[in-house]
Amino acid sequence: MSSLQVIIASALFYVLLPPGECITGGQESTPHSRPYMASLQLEGQHICGGFLISSQWVMSAAHCFQDGNKHKVVLGAHSLSQAEDKKQTFYIVAVYNHPDYNNENYDNDIALVKLSQPVTESDAVKPLKFQRAGGSDPDTDVAVETAGWGSLDNLGRRPDKLHEVTVAVIKSSICGRSNSYGDSFTTNMLCAGKPLKDTCDGDSGGPLLYNGIAVGITSNGGRKCGSKRKPGLYTIISHYDDWITRILTQ
């Protein structure tokens, strides 16, 4: 087989894979089984994820707001395009990016978003508990899970419905190697993945869960989703307990 034939065959392989069974290796979530999930949207298009942490606050990633805070926040969604009576849409009153956020290596990639009004809690809209200082963050090889409306593969195919994936925490020393993230990997980050399982473009800001508690925020990754050398990066929430408390109570 010629090089051109190999390229064409590879492209067809990815195109013909069913949704949710591509390079990110996830699957469609049960509708409204993750009632904390938020879709941050600009002009009706999903840009980033987030998750509800109280009646009027959403946690997300700071890099999602580098172009301002003109987003709308949609909660209670499963399908992004379909009219669902469980959906609640909010304007943003304020966005608090961590003051030490570094746009070069995504250190301190955490943001708190205040909604225009409190949510109406329902089976489709409920806050998620997040890890506080002193809690037990997951060890190496422990299974963690995340969800989002991000790309299903490196071809950029976006799902209409929420997807989820289970990955495993990877030893920090591996992600800090020179052939991985090198010095860009900090103690405020954890990395997680599995072969052909990963978060992807558009999943940023979503939660990484361990035992049903948000322990991380989907932050960044390699140029290719599902990369063995550069698995997904997640901000460790417990490192920001004091800052979170200060913002939420001011």
Side-chain angles (χ1 to χ4, degrees):
M1 184 180 289
S2 69
S3 298
L4 179 59
Q5 288 174 316
V6 170
I7 293 172
I8 293 173
S10 298
L12 286 173
F13 172 77
Y14 286 115
V15 169
L16 294 174
L17 280 173
E21 297 299 326
C22 302
I23 192 167
T24 44
Q27 61 186 6
E28 183 180 332
S29 303
T30 300
H32 311 296
S33 61
R34 298 180 181 273
Y36 45 81
M37 289 298 300
S39 170
L40 277 56
Q41 301 183 3
L42 280 174
E43 299 180 351
Q45 297 297 312
H46 174 83
I47 302 299
C48 276
F51 52 103
L52 188 69
I53 58 170
S54 71
S55 64
Q56 204 169 351
W57 289 91
V58 165
M59 189 176 289
S60 187
H63 78 262
C64 292
F65 298 95
Q66 295 311 289
D67 295 325
N69 63 345
K70 297 180 181 179
H71 306 69
K72 288 184 179 180
V73 179
V74 179
L75 293 160
H78 181 61
S79 165
L80 294 176
S81 66
Q82 296 175 11
E84 297 173 335
D85 57 10
K86 296 179 182 291
K87 287 182 181 178
Q88 298 180 39
T89 302
F90 301 87
Y91 291 100
I92 292 175
V93 172
V95 173
Y96 298 88
N97 287 338
H98 194 277
D100 296 325
Y101 167 65
N102 187 326
N103 197 40
E104 293 185 0
N105 70 342
Y106 291 79
D107 195 21
N108 306 304
D109 192 12
I110 180 173
L112 292 171
V113 179
K114 188 172 186 180
L115 305 179
S116 53
Q117 64 187 55
V119 304
T120 300
E121 288 197 27
S122 68
D123 62 339
V125 178
K126 291 180 182 178
L128 174 66
K129 290 183 178 181
F130 61 91
Q131 190 76 290
R132 293 289 193 172
S136 298
D137 287 319
D139 294 324
T140 300
D141 297 328
V142 167
V144 285
E145 58 187 73
T146 186
W149 290 271
S151 298
L152 295 171
D153 53 44
N154 286 310
L155 298 177
R157 291 191 306 117
R158 288 287 185 94
D160 177 60
K161 296 175 180 177
L162 184 67
H163 277 62
E164 60 190 24
V165 67
T166 298
V167 289
V169 177
I170 297 171
K171 186 180 294 186
S172 295
S173 59
I174 293 176
C175 292
R177 290 175 179 172
S178 58
N179 66 346
S180 186
Y181 290 105
D183 293 337
S184 294
F185 187 80
T186 77
T187 56
N188 295 316
M189 306 171 181
L190 65 79
C191 59
K194 276 188 174 181
L196 302 181
K197 293 179 182 288
D198 195 6
T199 45
C200 205
D201 178 52
D203 289 322
S204 294
L208 185 73
L209 289 92
Y210 171 56
N211 289 337
I213 296 175
V215 295
I217 302 167
T218 304
S219 176
N220 193 23
R223 292 184 178 181
K224 291 185 177 181
C225 307
S227 169
K228 183 177 180 180
R229 286 189 176 181
K230 291 190 174 183
L233 288 182
Y234 302 86
T235 303
I236 301 174
I237 296 173
S238 62
H239 289 194
Y240 303 93
D241 195 20
D242 290 343
W243 176 77
I244 293 169
T245 299
R246 188 165 64 251
I247 297 298
L248 297 185
T249 58
Q250 65 181 14

PDB file of all heavy atoms in Angstrom, residues 30-63:
ATOM      1  N   THR A  30     -25.862   9.202  30.109  1.00  0.00           N
ATOM      2  CA  THR A  30     -27.304   9.089  30.316  1.00  0.00           C
ATOM      3  C   THR A  30     -27.857  10.495  30.491  1.00  0.00           C
ATOM      4  O   THR A  30     -27.297  11.287  31.260  1.00  0.00           O
ATOM      5  CB  THR A  30     -27.599   8.253  31.569  1.00  0.00           C
ATOM      6  OG1 THR A  30     -27.047   6.953  31.401  1.00  0.00           O
ATOM      7  CG2 THR A  30     -29.091   8.152  31.815  1.00  0.00           C
ATOM      8  N   PRO A  31     -28.922  10.856  29.768  1.00  0.00           N
ATOM      9  CA  PRO A  31     -29.434  12.223  29.843  1.00  0.00           C
ATOM     10  C   PRO A  31     -29.654  12.708  31.279  1.00  0.00           C
ATOM     11  O   PRO A  31     -30.287  12.027  32.082  1.00  0.00           O
ATOM     12  CB  PRO A  31     -30.757  12.138  29.074  1.00  0.00           C
ATOM     13  CG  PRO A  31     -30.521  11.051  28.075  1.00  0.00           C
ATOM     14  CD  PRO A  31     -29.686  10.040  28.801  1.00  0.00           C
ATOM     15  N   HIS A  32     -29.057  13.860  31.575  1.00  0.00           N
ATOM     16  CA  HIS A  32     -29.230  14.567  32.847  1.00  0.00           C
ATOM     17  C   HIS A  32     -28.706  13.790  34.051  1.00  0.00           C
ATOM     18  O   HIS A  32     -29.100  14.058  35.191  1.00  0.00           O
ATOM     19  CB  HIS A  32     -30.698  14.952  33.043  1.00  0.00           C
ATOM     20  CG  HIS A  32     -31.295  15.631  31.849  1.00  0.00           C
ATOM     21  ND1 HIS A  32     -30.844  16.855  31.394  1.00  0.00           N
ATOM     22  CD2 HIS A  32     -32.267  15.240  30.986  1.00  0.00           C
ATOM     23  CE1 HIS A  32     -31.526  17.204  30.318  1.00  0.00           C
ATOM     24  NE2 HIS A  32     -32.385  16.238  30.035  1.00  0.00           N
ATOM     25  N   SER A  33     -27.820  12.834  33.795  1.00  0.00           N
ATOM     26  CA  SER A  33     -27.207  12.088  34.899  1.00  0.00           C
ATOM     27  C   SER A  33     -26.084  12.875  35.554  1.00  0.00           C
ATOM     28  O   SER A  33     -25.598  12.495  36.622  1.00  0.00           O
ATOM     29  CB  SER A  33     -26.666  10.746  34.392  1.00  0.00           C
ATOM     30  OG  SER A  33     -25.672  10.949  33.389  1.00  0.00           O
ATOM     31  N   ARG A  34     -25.675  13.966  34.918  1.00  0.00           N
ATOM     32  CA  ARG A  34     -24.642  14.840  35.471  1.00  0.00           C
ATOM     33  C   ARG A  34     -25.228  16.257  35.553  1.00  0.00           C
ATOM     34  O   ARG A  34     -24.899  17.120  34.738  1.00  0.00           O
ATOM     35  CB  ARG A  34     -23.374  14.793  34.613  1.00  0.00           C
ATOM     36  CG  ARG A  34     -22.752  13.390  34.557  1.00  0.00           C
ATOM     37  CD  ARG A  34     -21.494  13.344  33.717  1.00  0.00           C
ATOM     38  NE  ARG A  34     -20.935  12.013  33.667  1.00  0.00           N
ATOM     39  CZ  ARG A  34     -20.084  11.492  34.559  1.00  0.00           C
ATOM     40  NH1 ARG A  34     -19.711  12.226  35.591  1.00  0.00           N
ATOM     41  NH2 ARG A  34     -19.624  10.271  34.434  1.00  0.00           N
ATOM     42  N   PRO A  35     -26.097  16.498  36.536  1.00  0.00           N
ATOM     43  CA  PRO A  35     -26.874  17.738  36.565  1.00  0.00           C
ATOM     44  C   PRO A  35     -26.082  18.992  36.890  1.00  0.00           C
ATOM     45  O   PRO A  35     -26.646  20.092  36.854  1.00  0.00           O
ATOM     46  CB  PRO A  35     -27.919  17.456  37.659  1.00  0.00           C
ATOM     47  CG  PRO A  35     -27.273  16.447  38.546  1.00  0.00           C
ATOM     48  CD  PRO A  35     -26.468  15.575  37.627  1.00  0.00           C
ATOM     49  N   TYR A  36     -24.809  18.826  37.178  1.00  0.00           N
ATOM     50  CA  TYR A  36     -23.937  19.964  37.471  1.00  0.00           C
ATOM     51  C   TYR A  36     -23.273  20.528  36.211  1.00  0.00           C
ATOM     52  O   TYR A  36     -22.687  21.604  36.248  1.00  0.00           O
ATOM     53  CB  TYR A  36     -22.847  19.527  38.453  1.00  0.00           C
ATOM     54  CG  TYR A  36     -22.240  18.184  38.076  1.00  0.00           C
ATOM     55  CD1 TYR A  36     -21.263  18.077  37.097  1.00  0.00           C
ATOM     56  CD2 TYR A  36     -22.691  17.009  38.685  1.00  0.00           C
ATOM     57  CE1 TYR A  36     -20.741  16.845  36.734  1.00  0.00           C
ATOM     58  CE2 TYR A  36     -22.179  15.775  38.334  1.00  0.00           C
ATOM     59  CZ  TYR A  36     -21.200  15.701  37.363  1.00  0.00           C
ATOM     60  OH  TYR A  36     -20.696  14.477  36.994  1.00  0.00           O
ATOM     61  N   MET A  37     -23.353  19.815  35.087  1.00  0.00           N
ATOM     62  CA  MET A  37     -22.604  20.218  33.897  1.00  0.00           C
ATOM     63  C   MET A  37     -23.152  21.511  33.290  1.00  0.00           C
ATOM     64  O   MET A  37     -24.354  21.700  33.152  1.00  0.00           O
ATOM     65  CB  MET A  37     -22.625  19.111  32.856  1.00  0.00           C
ATOM     66  CG  MET A  37     -21.788  17.900  33.209  1.00  0.00           C
ATOM     67  SD  MET A  37     -20.015  18.265  33.396  1.00  0.00           S
ATOM     68  CE  MET A  37     -19.600  18.896  31.765  1.00  0.00           C
ATOM     69  N   ALA A  38     -22.220  22.379  32.910  1.00  0.00           N
ATOM     70  CA  ALA A  38     -22.558  23.661  32.296  1.00  0.00           C
ATOM     71  C   ALA A  38     -21.906  23.765  30.926  1.00  0.00           C
ATOM     72  O   ALA A  38     -20.771  23.325  30.730  1.00  0.00           O
ATOM     73  CB  ALA A  38     -22.085  24.817  33.178  1.00  0.00           C
ATOM     74  N   SER A  39     -22.631  24.351  29.999  1.00  0.00           N
ATOM     75  CA  SER A  39     -22.088  24.675  28.677  1.00  0.00           C
ATOM     76  C   SER A  39     -21.920  26.181  28.597  1.00  0.00           C
ATOM     77  O   SER A  39     -22.890  26.927  28.730  1.00  0.00           O
ATOM     78  CB  SER A  39     -23.029  24.189  27.570  1.00  0.00           C
ATOM     79  OG  SER A  39     -22.620  24.700  26.304  1.00  0.00           O
ATOM     80  N   LEU A  40     -20.675  26.628  28.403  1.00  0.00           N
ATOM     81  CA  LEU A  40     -20.393  28.046  28.231  1.00  0.00           C
ATOM     82  C   LEU A  40     -20.435  28.349  26.739  1.00  0.00           C
ATOM     83  O   LEU A  40     -19.679  27.746  25.963  1.00  0.00           O
ATOM     84  CB  LEU A  40     -19.023  28.397  28.812  1.00  0.00           C
ATOM     85  CG  LEU A  40     -18.946  28.653  30.320  1.00  0.00           C
ATOM     86  CD1 LEU A  40     -19.485  27.480  31.125  1.00  0.00           C
ATOM     87  CD2 LEU A  40     -17.520  28.958  30.752  1.00  0.00           C
ATOM     88  N   GLN A  41     -21.297  29.273  26.362  1.00  0.00           N
ATOM     89  CA  GLN A  41     -21.567  29.485  24.943  1.00  0.00           C
ATOM     90  C   GLN A  41     -21.376  30.941  24.532  1.00  0.00           C
ATOM     91  O   GLN A  41     -21.672  31.863  25.297  1.00  0.00           O
ATOM     92  CB  GLN A  41     -22.992  29.038  24.611  1.00  0.00           C
ATOM     93  CG  GLN A  41     -23.250  27.575  24.929  1.00  0.00           C
ATOM     94  CD  GLN A  41     -24.638  27.114  24.538  1.00  0.00           C
ATOM     95  OE1 GLN A  41     -25.426  27.860  23.960  1.00  0.00           O
ATOM     96  NE2 GLN A  41     -24.957  25.851  24.839  1.00  0.00           N
ATOM     97  N   LEU A  42     -20.885  31.116  23.308  1.00  0.00           N
ATOM     98  CA  LEU A  42     -20.784  32.424  22.668  1.00  0.00           C
ATOM     99  C   LEU A  42     -21.585  32.373  21.384  1.00  0.00           C
ATOM    100  O   LEU A  42     -21.363  31.499  20.543  1.00  0.00           O
ATOM    101  CB  LEU A  42     -19.322  32.776  22.358  1.00  0.00           C
ATOM    102  CG  LEU A  42     -18.467  33.313  23.503  1.00  0.00           C
ATOM    103  CD1 LEU A  42     -17.015  33.477  23.052  1.00  0.00           C
ATOM    104  CD2 LEU A  42     -19.012  34.648  24.005  1.00  0.00           C
ATOM    105  N   GLU A  43     -22.536  33.286  21.253  1.00  0.00           N
ATOM    106  CA  GLU A  43     -23.393  33.349  20.062  1.00  0.00           C
ATOM    107  C   GLU A  43     -24.015  31.985  19.749  1.00  0.00           C
ATOM    108  O   GLU A  43     -24.088  31.563  18.602  1.00  0.00           O
ATOM    109  CB  GLU A  43     -22.609  33.877  18.864  1.00  0.00           C
ATOM    110  CG  GLU A  43     -22.066  35.287  19.089  1.00  0.00           C
ATOM    111  CD  GLU A  43     -21.279  35.812  17.906  1.00  0.00           C
ATOM    112  OE1 GLU A  43     -21.000  35.028  16.976  1.00  0.00           O
ATOM    113  OE2 GLU A  43     -20.939  37.001  17.921  1.00  0.00           O
ATOM    114  N   GLY A  44     -24.416  31.292  20.804  1.00  0.00           N
ATOM    115  CA  GLY A  44     -25.096  30.009  20.647  1.00  0.00           C
ATOM    116  C   GLY A  44     -24.198  28.826  20.401  1.00  0.00           C
ATOM    117  O   GLY A  44     -24.686  27.697  20.253  1.00  0.00           O
ATOM    118  N   GLN A  45     -22.884  29.045  20.376  1.00  0.00           N
ATOM    119  CA  GLN A  45     -21.935  27.952  20.125  1.00  0.00           C
ATOM    120  C   GLN A  45     -21.215  27.562  21.412  1.00  0.00           C
ATOM    121  O   GLN A  45     -20.734  28.430  22.155  1.00  0.00           O
ATOM    122  CB  GLN A  45     -20.903  28.371  19.069  1.00  0.00           C
ATOM    123  CG  GLN A  45     -21.498  28.678  17.710  1.00  0.00           C
ATOM    124  CD  GLN A  45     -22.164  27.471  17.079  1.00  0.00           C
ATOM    125  OE1 GLN A  45     -21.592  26.374  17.037  1.00  0.00           O
ATOM    126  NE2 GLN A  45     -23.386  27.654  16.586  1.00  0.00           N
ATOM    127  N   HIS A  46     -21.144  26.254  21.672  1.00  0.00           N
ATOM    128  CA  HIS A  46     -20.431  25.760  22.843  1.00  0.00           C
ATOM    129  C   HIS A  46     -18.941  26.055  22.715  1.00  0.00           C
ATOM    130  O   HIS A  46     -18.314  25.732  21.699  1.00  0.00           O
ATOM    131  CB  HIS A  46     -20.648  24.248  22.990  1.00  0.00           C
ATOM    132  CG  HIS A  46     -19.831  23.636  24.084  1.00  0.00           C
ATOM    133  ND1 HIS A  46     -20.221  23.648  25.413  1.00  0.00           N
ATOM    134  CD2 HIS A  46     -18.625  23.006  24.042  1.00  0.00           C
ATOM    135  CE1 HIS A  46     -19.289  23.055  26.141  1.00  0.00           C
ATOM    136  NE2 HIS A  46     -18.316  22.642  25.338  1.00  0.00           N
ATOM    137  N   ILE A  47     -18.380  26.696  23.748  1.00  0.00           N
ATOM    138  CA  ILE A  47     -16.960  27.051  23.749  1.00  0.00           C
ATOM    139  C   ILE A  47     -16.186  26.235  24.783  1.00  0.00           C
ATOM    140  O   ILE A  47     -15.120  25.695  24.500  1.00  0.00           O
ATOM    141  CB  ILE A  47     -16.774  28.554  24.043  1.00  0.00           C
ATOM    142  CG1 ILE A  47     -17.529  29.404  23.018  1.00  0.00           C
ATOM    143  CG2 ILE A  47     -15.293  28.918  24.069  1.00  0.00           C
ATOM    144  CD1 ILE A  47     -17.073  29.227  21.587  1.00  0.00           C
ATOM    145  N   CYS A  48     -16.730  26.177  25.979  1.00  0.00           N
ATOM    146  CA  CYS A  48     -16.061  25.492  27.087  1.00  0.00           C
ATOM    147  C   CYS A  48     -17.109  24.863  27.996  1.00  0.00           C
ATOM    148  O   CYS A  48     -18.308  25.154  27.887  1.00  0.00           O
ATOM    149  CB  CYS A  48     -15.230  26.480  27.921  1.00  0.00           C
ATOM    150  SG  CYS A  48     -13.568  26.822  27.297  1.00  0.00           S
ATOM    151  N   GLY A  49     -16.628  24.028  28.894  1.00  0.00           N
ATOM    152  CA  GLY A  49     -17.484  23.457  29.909  1.00  0.00           C
ATOM    153  C   GLY A  49     -17.313  24.173  31.235  1.00  0.00           C
ATOM    154  O   GLY A  49     -16.511  25.103  31.381  1.00  0.00           O
ATOM    155  N   GLY A  50     -18.065  23.742  32.201  1.00  0.00           N
ATOM    156  CA  GLY A  50     -17.989  24.247  33.566  1.00  0.00           C
ATOM    157  C   GLY A  50     -18.878  23.366  34.418  1.00  0.00           C
ATOM    158  O   GLY A  50     -19.511  22.432  33.916  1.00  0.00           O
ATOM    159  N   PHE A  51     -18.949  23.658  35.714  1.00  0.00           N
ATOM    160  CA  PHE A  51     -19.818  22.862  36.581  1.00  0.00           C
ATOM    161  C   PHE A  51     -20.310  23.715  37.734  1.00  0.00           C
ATOM    162  O   PHE A  51     -19.591  24.545  38.290  1.00  0.00           O
ATOM    163  CB  PHE A  51     -19.121  21.586  37.072  1.00  0.00           C
ATOM    164  CG  PHE A  51     -17.766  21.790  37.702  1.00  0.00           C
ATOM    165  CD1 PHE A  51     -17.598  21.754  39.080  1.00  0.00           C
ATOM    166  CD2 PHE A  51     -16.642  21.997  36.911  1.00  0.00           C
ATOM    167  CE1 PHE A  51     -16.346  21.929  39.665  1.00  0.00           C
ATOM    168  CE2 PHE A  51     -15.385  22.168  37.474  1.00  0.00           C
ATOM    169  CZ  PHE A  51     -15.238  22.135  38.856  1.00  0.00           C
ATOM    170  N   LEU A  52     -21.579  23.500  38.053  1.00  0.00           N
ATOM    171  CA  LEU A  52     -22.255  24.257  39.095  1.00  0.00           C
ATOM    172  C   LEU A  52     -21.750  23.820  40.465  1.00  0.00           C
ATOM    173  O   LEU A  52     -21.728  22.632  40.775  1.00  0.00           O
ATOM    174  CB  LEU A  52     -23.760  24.015  38.988  1.00  0.00           C
ATOM    175  CG  LEU A  52     -24.671  24.863  39.869  1.00  0.00           C
ATOM    176  CD1 LEU A  52     -24.671  26.315  39.418  1.00  0.00           C
ATOM    177  CD2 LEU A  52     -26.097  24.298  39.839  1.00  0.00           C
ATOM    178  N   ILE A  53     -21.339  24.788  41.299  1.00  0.00           N
ATOM    179  CA  ILE A  53     -20.843  24.448  42.630  1.00  0.00           C
ATOM    180  C   ILE A  53     -21.718  25.028  43.747  1.00  0.00           C
ATOM    181  O   ILE A  53     -21.563  24.656  44.903  1.00  0.00           O
ATOM    182  CB  ILE A  53     -19.383  24.903  42.833  1.00  0.00           C
ATOM    183  CG1 ILE A  53     -19.243  26.413  42.623  1.00  0.00           C
ATOM    184  CG2 ILE A  53     -18.446  24.119  41.907  1.00  0.00           C
ATOM    185  CD1 ILE A  53     -17.880  26.955  43.050  1.00  0.00           C
ATOM    186  N   SER A  54     -22.612  25.951  43.404  1.00  0.00           N
ATOM    187  CA  SER A  54     -23.593  26.478  44.355  1.00  0.00           C
ATOM    188  C   SER A  54     -24.729  27.088  43.552  1.00  0.00           C
ATOM    189  O   SER A  54     -24.715  27.050  42.318  1.00  0.00           O
ATOM    190  CB  SER A  54     -22.965  27.511  45.298  1.00  0.00           C
ATOM    191  OG  SER A  54     -22.677  28.707  44.605  1.00  0.00           O
ATOM    192  N   SER A  55     -25.694  27.683  44.232  1.00  0.00           N
ATOM    193  CA  SER A  55     -26.889  28.151  43.527  1.00  0.00           C
ATOM    194  C   SER A  55     -26.614  29.221  42.487  1.00  0.00           C
ATOM    195  O   SER A  55     -27.392  29.384  41.539  1.00  0.00           O
ATOM    196  CB  SER A  55     -27.912  28.677  44.537  1.00  0.00           C
ATOM    197  OG  SER A  55     -27.404  29.808  45.220  1.00  0.00           O
ATOM    198  N   GLN A  56     -25.484  29.954  42.622  1.00  0.00           N
ATOM    199  CA  GLN A  56     -25.231  31.054  41.683  1.00  0.00           C
ATOM    200  C   GLN A  56     -23.798  31.076  41.170  1.00  0.00           C
ATOM    201  O   GLN A  56     -23.374  32.055  40.566  1.00  0.00           O
ATOM    202  CB  GLN A  56     -25.581  32.389  42.354  1.00  0.00           C
ATOM    203  CG  GLN A  56     -25.909  33.512  41.373  1.00  0.00           C
ATOM    204  CD  GLN A  56     -26.510  34.736  42.054  1.00  0.00           C
ATOM    205  OE1 GLN A  56     -26.850  34.702  43.243  1.00  0.00           O
ATOM    206  NE2 GLN A  56     -26.665  35.819  41.311  1.00  0.00           N
ATOM    207  N   TRP A  57     -23.058  29.981  41.370  1.00  0.00           N
ATOM    208  CA  TRP A  57     -21.644  29.970  40.977  1.00  0.00           C
ATOM    209  C   TRP A  57     -21.308  28.719  40.170  1.00  0.00           C
ATOM    210  O   TRP A  57     -21.719  27.616  40.513  1.00  0.00           O
ATOM    211  CB  TRP A  57     -20.750  30.023  42.209  1.00  0.00           C
ATOM    212  CG  TRP A  57     -20.760  31.357  42.899  1.00  0.00           C
ATOM    213  CD1 TRP A  57     -21.592  31.750  43.905  1.00  0.00           C
ATOM    214  CD2 TRP A  57     -19.898  32.464  42.630  1.00  0.00           C
ATOM    215  NE1 TRP A  57     -21.303  33.034  44.284  1.00  0.00           N
ATOM    216  CE2 TRP A  57     -20.270  33.501  43.522  1.00  0.00           C
ATOM    217  CE3 TRP A  57     -18.856  32.682  41.726  1.00  0.00           C
ATOM    218  CZ2 TRP A  57     -19.632  34.738  43.544  1.00  0.00           C
ATOM    219  CZ3 TRP A  57     -18.209  33.915  41.739  1.00  0.00           C
ATOM    220  CH2 TRP A  57     -18.593  34.932  42.637  1.00  0.00           C
ATOM    221  N   VAL A  58     -20.530  28.941  39.132  1.00  0.00           N
ATOM    222  CA  VAL A  58     -20.001  27.877  38.284  1.00  0.00           C
ATOM    223  C   VAL A  58     -18.486  27.940  38.315  1.00  0.00           C
ATOM    224  O   VAL A  58     -17.899  29.032  38.311  1.00  0.00           O
ATOM    225  CB  VAL A  58     -20.508  28.033  36.827  1.00  0.00           C
ATOM    226  CG1 VAL A  58     -19.706  27.168  35.853  1.00  0.00           C
ATOM    227  CG2 VAL A  58     -21.989  27.681  36.744  1.00  0.00           C
ATOM    228  N   MET A  59     -17.837  26.792  38.383  1.00  0.00           N
ATOM    229  CA  MET A  59     -16.381  26.714  38.316  1.00  0.00           C
ATOM    230  C   MET A  59     -15.985  26.288  36.907  1.00  0.00           C
ATOM    231  O   MET A  59     -16.645  25.457  36.284  1.00  0.00           O
ATOM    232  CB  MET A  59     -15.852  25.718  39.353  1.00  0.00           C
ATOM    233  CG  MET A  59     -14.338  25.720  39.520  1.00  0.00           C
ATOM    234  SD  MET A  59     -13.776  24.596  40.860  1.00  0.00           S
ATOM    235  CE  MET A  59     -14.347  25.486  42.317  1.00  0.00           C
ATOM    236  N   SER A  60     -14.901  26.876  36.407  1.00  0.00           N
ATOM    237  CA  SER A  60     -14.440  26.559  35.057  1.00  0.00           C
ATOM    238  C   SER A  60     -12.936  26.826  34.978  1.00  0.00           C
ATOM    239  O   SER A  60     -12.259  26.911  36.009  1.00  0.00           O
ATOM    240  CB  SER A  60     -15.223  27.406  34.032  1.00  0.00           C
ATOM    241  OG  SER A  60     -14.914  27.004  32.706  1.00  0.00           O
ATOM    242  N   ALA A  61     -12.424  26.936  33.766  1.00  0.00           N
ATOM    243  CA  ALA A  61     -10.993  27.177  33.537  1.00  0.00           C
ATOM    244  C   ALA A  61     -10.762  28.630  33.130  1.00  0.00           C
ATOM    245  O   ALA A  61     -11.523  29.192  32.339  1.00  0.00           O
ATOM    246  CB  ALA A  61     -10.474  26.243  32.445  1.00  0.00           C
ATOM    247  N   ALA A  62      -9.703  29.225  33.652  1.00  0.00           N
ATOM    248  CA  ALA A  62      -9.412  30.630  33.368  1.00  0.00           C
ATOM    249  C   ALA A  62      -9.165  30.873  31.883  1.00  0.00           C
ATOM    250  O   ALA A  62      -9.531  31.929  31.351  1.00  0.00           O
ATOM    251  CB  ALA A  62      -8.206  31.084  34.191  1.00  0.00           C
ATOM    252  N   HIS A  63      -8.563  29.911  31.187  1.00  0.00           N
ATOM    253  CA  HIS A  63      -8.220  30.163  29.784  1.00  0.00           C
ATOM    254  C   HIS A  63      -9.456  30.267  28.896  1.00  0.00           C
ATOM    255  O   HIS A  63      -9.368  30.734  27.759  1.00  0.00           O
ATOM    256  CB  HIS A  63      -7.248  29.098  29.256  1.00  0.00           C
ATOM    257  CG  HIS A  63      -7.868  27.782  28.901  1.00  0.00           C
ATOM    258  ND1 HIS A  63      -7.865  26.700  29.748  1.00  0.00           N
ATOM    259  CD2 HIS A  63      -8.508  27.372  27.778  1.00  0.00           C
ATOM    260  CE1 HIS A  63      -8.461  25.681  29.163  1.00  0.00           C
ATOM    261  NE2 HIS A  63      -8.879  26.057  27.962  1.00  0.00           N
TER     262      HIS A  63
END
